[in-house]
Amino acid sequence: MERGNTAKIAEAKAKGAAAYKEGRFADAEVAFGDALRAAQLSGASSVEAQALGNLATIRKSQARQLLGNADGGGHRRLIEAVSLYQRCLELMRATHARDEQTEMKMLNLLGMCSLNAGLLRTARRFTLELLQISEKREFAFVEELQARL
């Protein structure tokens, strides 16, 4: 990745994080969108996944504000969050930066957003994936503990 792109991505991520913390979701969305485009241009897959996750989190936060409105904006935002989190998870799984803890977090977010959006089969699928990883980790921990005894 070029030095200029690295600086541009870092600046965009910092702006997005600051705007999000202040509740300025539209500004955060623009900044994380800039980070996403710069990451895509530079081929930085892990940064691209982070930006997608950040954009999904914005949609989830917007949904929380809009749920109950007659126009259905909250539901639409949840559907968008699910789509963005799915893209983030797929990209994360395709890169060498695969991190089981982060993957579990994404699956949990996908399950919760899907459930809140009324996508029950989708929520079930992600929840089952999360449980499989959790059980595998617990089994590995128990085996390691038994080996030490």
Side-chain angles (χ1 to χ4, degrees):
M1 184 166 32
E2 296 176 13
R3 188 180 265 307
N5 274 350
T6 303
K8 183 177 182 177
I9 291 170
E11 180 182 343
K13 286 171 54 178
K15 283 182 181 178
Y20 181 81
K21 285 179 184 175
E22 294 171 6
R24 295 182 293 115
F25 299 137
D27 293 338
E29 186 173 353
V30 169
F32 288 130
D34 290 344
L36 175 63
R37 284 182 290 285
Q40 289 169 331
L41 288 172
S42 65
S45 298
S46 62
V47 177
E48 184 179 346
Q50 288 173 356
L52 287 167
N54 289 333
L55 289 167
T57 299
I58 291 168
R59 293 293 193 290
K60 182 174 63 88
S61 296
Q62 290 170 327
R64 201 174 311 134
Q65 289 181 333
L66 296 172
L67 281 175
N69 287 4
D71 69 355
H75 184 261
R76 254 191 327 275
R77 292 295 195 291
L78 282 172
I79 299 291
E80 292 169 1
V82 169
S83 176
L84 288 163
Y85 279 134
Q86 281 182 295
R87 287 175 51 203
C88 173
L89 181 64
E90 289 166 6
L91 190 58
M92 191 180 73
R93 285 177 168 171
T95 66
H96 298 291
R98 190 169 180 175
D99 169 21
E100 204 170 64
Q101 191 68 34
T102 304
E103 186 173 349
M104 290 173 67
K105 180 181 176 183
M106 285 295 116
L107 289 166
N108 183 54
L109 288 165
L110 278 160
M112 294 305 295
C113 286
S114 298
L115 181 64
N116 290 332
L119 305 171
L120 302 182
R121 288 178 191 230
T122 304
R124 182 178 185 272
R125 180 171 54 98
F126 290 123
T127 302
L128 288 174
E129 279 188 61
L130 175 60
L131 286 171
Q132 288 173 342
I133 294 171
S134 297
E135 287 174 351
K136 182 181 79 172
R137 289 181 65 152
E138 183 178 335
F139 182 73
F141 173 75
V142 169
E143 280 189 331
E144 181 182 325
L145 189 59
Q146 287 176 339
R148 290 182 182 190
L149 295 178

